[in-house]
Each structure stands twice: as structure tokens, then as C-alpha cells.
Amino acid sequence: QVQLVESGGGLVQTGGSLRLSCAASGRTLNSLVMGWFRQAPGKEREFVAAISRTGGTLYDADSVKGRFTISRDNAKNTVYLQMSNLKPEDTAVYYCAADPMLTVLLWRSANEYDYWGQGTQVTVSS
């Protein structure tokens, strides 16, 4: 069983930055594919970024590429999402997800991840 705990959310002005953290326990991070998703009120949960066991990354190009960076620190069993140049449309609850077996073709699919954190709120004011 894997437990995921997100932190780092908050209120920030347009153009500001935040770094989200997701601490994993119950399994070593280097055995997991890790993803970040977000869900705004009234909308479906959407893919933001993912990182493989070996550090390969994938981003939702339209919404976050060039502004968000996913990374992992296996020694700390933590994955990060560095967000810069934030926009009001980035406002959402951000969720960390993990799966031990996911192939890259399925990284964008929330339904394919076995483990989820509780989420952290990010609010970007205009």
C-alpha cells in the first residue's frame, strides 16, 4: 500500500510561483510512476505532468509546458511540481498519483493510477 501526502498549495497572485510536494510512503519512490493532476470546480480531473521511475517526464503541453516542472528526489521519497508564471486558470485542487506498472501511453489517464493523495488547493488571484 502506498500513501501520498501533498503539500505546498496556497494563494498566489498572477505571475507568481509555488512548489508542490508529494511525499510517498509504503514503497520506494523509484519503483513508482508519479503523476500530478488537477481538478477545478465543476470540471473533470485533468492531467498535468508525470515522471517515470528513471526520470523521464511528460507534460500537458497546452496548459503547463514551459511553466511547470515535475521532478523527483528518490532519497526523500518525494516528487515535486514547480509552478511558475501562474495564471488564474491554474486554480484547482492539485492531486498527486502513483502507480508501479503504468506505461507511458497511460500516464495521462487518471483512472489508471492506483494511489492518490488527498489534494492541495492552489488559488491564483487576478
Side-chain angles (χ1 to χ4, degrees):
Q1 193 75 352
V2 175
Q3 292 80 42
L4 303 173
V5 179
E6 301 99 332
S7 61
L11 174 64
V12 64
Q13 292 185 337
T14 296
S17 299
L18 283 174
R19 188 177 78 159
L20 306 183
S21 300
C22 174
S25 61
R27 190 160 177 161
T28 56
L29 196 67
N30 59 12
S31 68
L32 298 167
V33 173
M34 302 296 296
W36 283 100
F37 290 76
R38 65 186 182 185
Q39 188 166 17
K43 296 187 177 181
E44 293 187 354
R45 193 167 297 189
E46 64 177 10
F47 172 76
V48 175
I51 188 166
S52 74
R53 292 182 291 270
T54 55
T57 58
L58 180 70
Y59 296 92
D60 181 80
D62 290 341
S63 61
V64 306
K65 190 174 183 181
R67 300 188 300 122
F68 291 11
T69 302
I70 188 171
S71 62
R72 62 195 301 155
D73 185 334
N74 289 338
K76 295 183 178 180
N77 240 39
T78 300
V79 65
Y80 303 98
L81 185 69
Q82 178 67 47
M83 306 185 295
S84 60
N85 191 21
L86 283 161
K87 305 174 182 180
E89 51 265 41
D90 294 318
T91 295
V93 177
Y94 283 70
Y95 296 92
C96 175
D99 194 275
M101 298 294 294
L102 215 55
T103 65
V104 64
L105 293 176
L106 298 176
W107 286 5
R108 296 177 180 271
S109 302
N111 291 339
E112 299 294 333
Y113 288 79
D114 283 347
Y115 306 104
W116 289 86
Q118 82 289 349
T120 186
Q121 176 71 47
V122 172
T123 303
V124 184
S125 63
S126 57

